[in-house]
C-alpha cells in the first residue's frame, strides 16, 4: 500500500538519480491540478482506469502530491514540498467509502469523492459521497447520492434503470470541476439489472451547491457507454467531453445552451437551485476526414450498414481506438489531447498511435471543423507511446507529456514534453526527460537542492561531491563507500548519465540523433554499457571474445581514456598537454594521449606533482570518479583554461580494463502487464450438425442496423420460413426468410418498408445475383447495442430445412439502447439445391468480465 513515507523516499531517490537539467528552462504552473494516473501507462485501455495520483500547486507556490493506496478503502497520502523538493507537510486520510472516486483542488476548498457498490440494488443505499475539505485537508462537510439518483438523492417515482447506480466509478473515473459555488462530479457507472441479466453502463453527472453541500441536479448529460469523461467551464456554462462506445462511438462534446438556474422544491420543503437540463447541440468528431475520431466503421444512420463484414463485428464493441488525456478551455477553443490508432489498419497494435491535439471552436456547431495538430507519430515505427496528459501552464500555454517506449518493451525510453499555446501552435522544441518525475518537476519549477552524506570521504573531495550531486552527476552507486574501487560498469553508467545531463535527454534519444544503436557484449547486457560502446566511450577488455569485464575494478589510465572519449561524445574534445610522467613506461600505449588530455583539461592530475607521477594501473575510487565527472562538467560548461589545476592531486583509483565498444545490449525483459478485459465476449463454438455433415458455409454475410419497433419483429416473424419456430423474445429461434429471386426480395421490402432503411445496400441483390445464389435475411432484436451476432455454422436437417447457427454474445457492460438488425447471408443455389427452407437459432454466452 502506498504511504506518505513512500512518496518522501521516492522524491529523495528521484532527486539523487534524476535531477532536472540546468539547461532546461522551467515555467510556473497556474493554480490547478494534473492527473498522474497510472504513471503514464504504456498499454492502451478500451476504457479508462481509476486516477490514482495527482499533483497540484498551492497558493504559496508549494507543490502537493496526492497518492491513493491500493485495494479497498485505501489510505490517501498527501505530501507538500517546496520548490527545492523539501518536504513541508504530510497527511494521511482514511477512505470514507470503499471505492476512491476522484480528487479536485478547487480555488478555496479541496474535494474527494468516494463510492461503494450497490449489489443489493437498494434505492436508499448511499453509493457516492463528495467530501469537502479546507486546503489543509480538514473535513468541512459532505453530500451523498443514493442508489436511485432521481429527485436529488431521494428515491424517485421513476422506475427506469437509467436513474440507478449499481457500481459507481466503473469503467470511467470520477472527475470534478467548479465554477463559483457549483461543483460538478462526472463519472461512469453500471446500473441495476434491467431484466436482461446485464448491468448496463453509462455516465452520470452530479451537480452540487458547495455553499450548502446540497445536490442541485443529477444524471445529465447522456452517454452510453461512458469510457472516459472530462469537464470544463466556459464562463458559467458547463462543458463535457465524453469518450463513448455507443451513441456515438468516439468523442462527444456537450455544452449547455444557457446558464439560468431554476428553483425546485426538495422533499424536505427547501428550495434549491438546479441547473437547467437543457443542452446544446453536441459535436461528434465524425466522418472520414483527417480529424476523424470515430475510430470505428459504425454509423448510426439507419440507412447505412452497421458492420461491413461479420469477421469485424466482434472487434468494434468497447473499442474506440483512442484515449484522451485532458480537456481545457482556451481563449478561442476547447482543447483536448488524444492518442489515436489508425483504425482499422492497426487496431491490433493499440500502443502504436499518433499523439495529437484537437481544438474545437468555442462557438462550435454540429458542422464545425476540428483543428488537428500532430505532436508525434508512432504508427508505422518501431516505437510506441503512453496516453498523453494535458497540463495548463498559464492562461495561454499548455504542456502535453507522454512516455515513449521501444515497441514490445515496458521500460520507457524517455518522457516527452511539448508545449502548445491556446491556438494549438507548438511552442519551442520538445523537452525529453529520463524520468516522469523529472518531467513534472521541470513543469512545476521544482529544482531539488541536493546534499549528500560525505562521511568517509577525503577532505579534498567533499566540495566536488556536493557540487556533482547538485548537477545530477553523482550516481547513487558512487556516492557511498567513497574509498571503494569503482567497477568498469559503474563508471560506464556515470559516463552515460553525464552525456544525458549534457544533452538534456535520455541516452536512447541521443543515440537516435546520431543514428546509432546500442551494442552488446558476451558478458553483459547493461544498456548503459551498450550505449557507451555505441558512442565510442568504451571498447571492452577482449575484442576477440567480445568481453567487457563489467565487475573488474577501473584503473586510472582506463578512467582517463573513458573521460577523454566522453568529451568527444559530447563534441567537446580537448587538446593533449606534453607531460613528462616519471612512470611513463608503465602507461599503456592506448592511454598516453588520453592521460595528457584529461591533465590539460584539469580533469585528472597525477598522484604526485614533483616529479609528475600518474600511477596508471592503480584503482580509481568512487570519490575520484564522482569528482572527475564534476571537473569534466566544469570544463565542458565553463571552459577553464587548459592545464589549470583543479581540486588537488587525486588519490589512486581502482583498476578498470581498457574500455572497448559494446555490442547492442539485450533489452530488459518486459514484465507481464495486466490487460484490461474487453467487454466483447468470445464467440461460442460452432454447434455440431444435427443430421447431415456440415454444409460448406455461406459465400459472405453482412449485418444491417434497422429502426427498432414492435412492428418490426411482428413483420419478420409472420414472414419467416418457419414462423411456428420463432421465439424472438427468448432469443432462441430467430425469424429467417429466404429469397430465390429479386422479385421476392422486392416484394418483401415493399411490405416492410419502414424496416428497410438499408435498401440501397440491398440493391446489389439483383437478377444477376439470384441467377446463381439465394439470400437469407435473419432478424434479431436486443435490449443492448453491445450484443454481437455472428453466423457460425449451418447444417441440413432430414426434412430438408437448413438450420443456421447464430453466435450470440452479450457483455457484462452493456449499452442501454435497443437494437434491431438483419443478418444477410448469401448461399450458392448449387450448394443448397436440396434445401427447402431456412431457420436460425442462437447459441450464446453472457460475458462476466
Amino acid at each position: 500500500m502506498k504511504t506518505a513515507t513512500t512518496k518522501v523516499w521516492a522524491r529523495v531517490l528521484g532527486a539523487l538519480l534524476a535531477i532536472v537539467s540546468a539547461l532546461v528552462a522551467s515555467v510556473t504552473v497556474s493554480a490547478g491540478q494534473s492527473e498522474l494516473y497510472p504513471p503514464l501507462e504504456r498499454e492502451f485501455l478500451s476504457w479508462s482506469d481509476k486516477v490514482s495520483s495527482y499533483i497540484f500547486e498551492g497558493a504559496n507556490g508549494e507543490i502537493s502530491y496526492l497518492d491513493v493506496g491500493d485495494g479497498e478503502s485505501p489510505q490517501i497520502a498527501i505530501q507538500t514540498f517546496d520548490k527545492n523538493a523539501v518536504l513541508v507537510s504530510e497527511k494521511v486520510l482514511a477512505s470514507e467509502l470503499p471505492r476512491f472516486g476522484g480528487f479536485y483542488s478547487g480555488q478555496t476548498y479541496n474535494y474527494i469523492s468516494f463510492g461503494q457498490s450497490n449489489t443489493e440494488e437498494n434505492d436508499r443505499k448511499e453509493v457516492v459521497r463528495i467530501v469537502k475539505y479546507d486546503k489543509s485537508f480538514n473535513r468541512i462537510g459532505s453530500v451523498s447520492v443514493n442508489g436511485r439518483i432521481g429527485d436529488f438523492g431521494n428515491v424517485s417515482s421513476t422506475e427506469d434503470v437509467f436513474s440507478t447506480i449499481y457500481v459507481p466509478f466503473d469503467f470511467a473515473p470520477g472527475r470534478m470541476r467548479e465554477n463559483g459555488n457549483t461543483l460538478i462530479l462526472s463519472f461512469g457507472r453500471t446500473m441495476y439489472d434491467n431484466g436482461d441479466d446485464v448491468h448496463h453502463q453509462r455516465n452520470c453527472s452530479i451537480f452540487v451547491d458547495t455553499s450548502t453541500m446540497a445536490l442541485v441536479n443529477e444524471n445529465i448529460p447522456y452517454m452510453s457507454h461512458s469510457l472516459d469523461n472530462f469537464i470544463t467551464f466556459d464562463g458559467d456554462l458547463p462543458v463535457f467531453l465524453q469518450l463513448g462506445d455507443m451513441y456515438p462511438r468516439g468523442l462527444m462534446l456537450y455544452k449547455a445552451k444557457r446558464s439560468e438556474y431554476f428553483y425546485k422544491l426538495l422533499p424536505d420543503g427547501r428550495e434549491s437551485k438546479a441547473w437547467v437540463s437543457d443542452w446544446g447541440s453536441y459535436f461528434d468528431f465524425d466522418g472520414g476526414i483527417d480529424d476523424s475520431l470515430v475510430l470505428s466503421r459504425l454509423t448510426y444512420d439507419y440507412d447505412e450498414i452497421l458492420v461491413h463484414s461479420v469477421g469485424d463485428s466482434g472487434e468494434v464493441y468497447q473499442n474506440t481506438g483512442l484515449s484522451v488525456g485532458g480537456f481545457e478551455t482556451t481563449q478561442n477553443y476547447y482543447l483536448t489531447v488524444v492518442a489515436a490508432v489508425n483504425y482499422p489498419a492497426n487496431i491490433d497494435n493499440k500502443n502504436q498511435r499518433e499523439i495529437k491535439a484537437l481544438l474545437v471552436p468555442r462557438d462550435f456547431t454540429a458542422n464545425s471543423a476540428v483543428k488537428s495538430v500532430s505532436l508525434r507519430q508512432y504508427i508505422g515505427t518501431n516505437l510506441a507511446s503512453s496516453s498523453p496528459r494535458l497540463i495548463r501552464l498559464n492562461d495561454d500555454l499548455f504542456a502535453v507529456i507522454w512516455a515513449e517506449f521501444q515497441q514490445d518493451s515496458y521500460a520507457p525510453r524517455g518522457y516527452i514534453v511539448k508545449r502548445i499555446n491556446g491556438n494549438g501552435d507548438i511552442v519551442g522544441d520538445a523537452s525529453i526527460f529520463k524520468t516522469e518525475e523529472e518531467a513534472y518537476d521541470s513543469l512545476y519549477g521544482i529544482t531539488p537542492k541536493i546534499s549528500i552524506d560525505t562521511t568517509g570521504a577525503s577532505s579534498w573531495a567533499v566540495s566536488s561531491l556536493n557540487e556533482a550531486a547538485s548537477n545530477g552527476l553523482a550516481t547513487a552507486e558512487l556516492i557511498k563507500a567513497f574509498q571503494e574501487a569503482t567497477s568498469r560498469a559503474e563508471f560506464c553508467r556515470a559516463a552515460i548519465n553525464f552525456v544525458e545531463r549534457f544533452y538534456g535527454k535520455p541516452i536512447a534519444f541521443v543515440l537516435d540523433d546520431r543514428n546509432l544503436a546500442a551494442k552488446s557484449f558476451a558478458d553483459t547486457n547493461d544498456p548503459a554499457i551498450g550505449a557507451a560502446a555505441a558512442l565510442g566511450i568504451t571498447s571492452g577488455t577482449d575484442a576477440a571474445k567480445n568481453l567487457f569485464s563489467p565487475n573488474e575494478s577501473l584503473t586510472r589510465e582506463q578512467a582517463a581514456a573513458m573521460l577523454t572519449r566522453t568529451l568527444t561524445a559530447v563534441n567537446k574534445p580537448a587538446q593533449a598537454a606534453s607531460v613528462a610522467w616519471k612512470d611513463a613506461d608503465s602507461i599503456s600505449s592506448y592511454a598516453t594521449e588520453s592521460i595528457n588530455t584529461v591533465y590539460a583539461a584539469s580533469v585528472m592530475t597525477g598522484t604526485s606533482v614533483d616529479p609528475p607521477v600518474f600511477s596508471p594501473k592503480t584503482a580509481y575510487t568512487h570519490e575520484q570518479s564522482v569528482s572527475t565527472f564534476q571537473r569534466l562538467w566544469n570544463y565542458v560548461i565553463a571552459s577553464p583554461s587548459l592545464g589549470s589545476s583543479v581540486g588537488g592531486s587525486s588519490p589512486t583509483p581502482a583498476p578498470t580494463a581498457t574500455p572497448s565498444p559494446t555490442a547492442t545490449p539485450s533489452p530488459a525483459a518486459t514484465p507481464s502487464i495486466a490487460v484490461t478485459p474487453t467487454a466483447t465476449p468470445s464467440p461460442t463454438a460452432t454447434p455440431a450438425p444435427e443430421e447431415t455433415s456440415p454444409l460448406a458455409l455461406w459465400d459472405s454475410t453482412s449485418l444491417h442496423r434497422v429502426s427498432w419497433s414492435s412492428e418490426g419483429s411482428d413483420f419478420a416473424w409472420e414472414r419467416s420460413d418457419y414462423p411456428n419456430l420463432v421465439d424472438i423474445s427468448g432469443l432462441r429461434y430467430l425469424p429467417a426468410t429466404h429469397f430465390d429471386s429479386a422479385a421476392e426480395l422486392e416484394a418483401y421490402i415493399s411490405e416492410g418498408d419502414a424496416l428497410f432503411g438499408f435498401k440501397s445496400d440491398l440493391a446489389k441483390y439483383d437478377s444477376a445475383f439470384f441467377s446463381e445464389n439465394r439470400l437469407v435475411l435473419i432478424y434479431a432484436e436486443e435490449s443492448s447495442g453491445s450484443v454481437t451476432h455472428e453466423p457460425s455454422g449451418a447444417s441440413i436437417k432430414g426434412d430438408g430445412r437448413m438450420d443456421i447457427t447464430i453466435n450470440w454474445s452479450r457483455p457484462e457492460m452493456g449499452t442501454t439502447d435497443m437494437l434491431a438488425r438483419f443478418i444477410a447471408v448469401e448461399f450458392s443455389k448449387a450448394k443448397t439445391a436440396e434445401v427447402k427452407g431456412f431457420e436460425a437459432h442462437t447459441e450464446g454466452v453472457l460475458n462476466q468480465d
Side-chain angles (χ1 to χ4, degrees), residues 122-135:
N122 181 350
D123 289 348
R124 295 186 181 275
K125 180 177 180 178
E126 180 188 34
V127 290
V128 173
R129 183 185 302 171
I130 303 172
V131 182
K132 178 181 179 181
Y133 304 87
D134 65 18
K135 284 298 182 176

Side-chain angles (χ1 to χ4, degrees), residues 233-254:
F233 276 88
D234 189 343
D236 56 0
L237 298 178
V239 187
F240 293 81
L241 184 71
Q242 295 275 350
L243 174 62
D245 177 327
M246 281 290 204
Y247 299 114
R249 186 182 305 282
L251 283 171
M252 181 183 283
L253 186 65
Y254 289 94

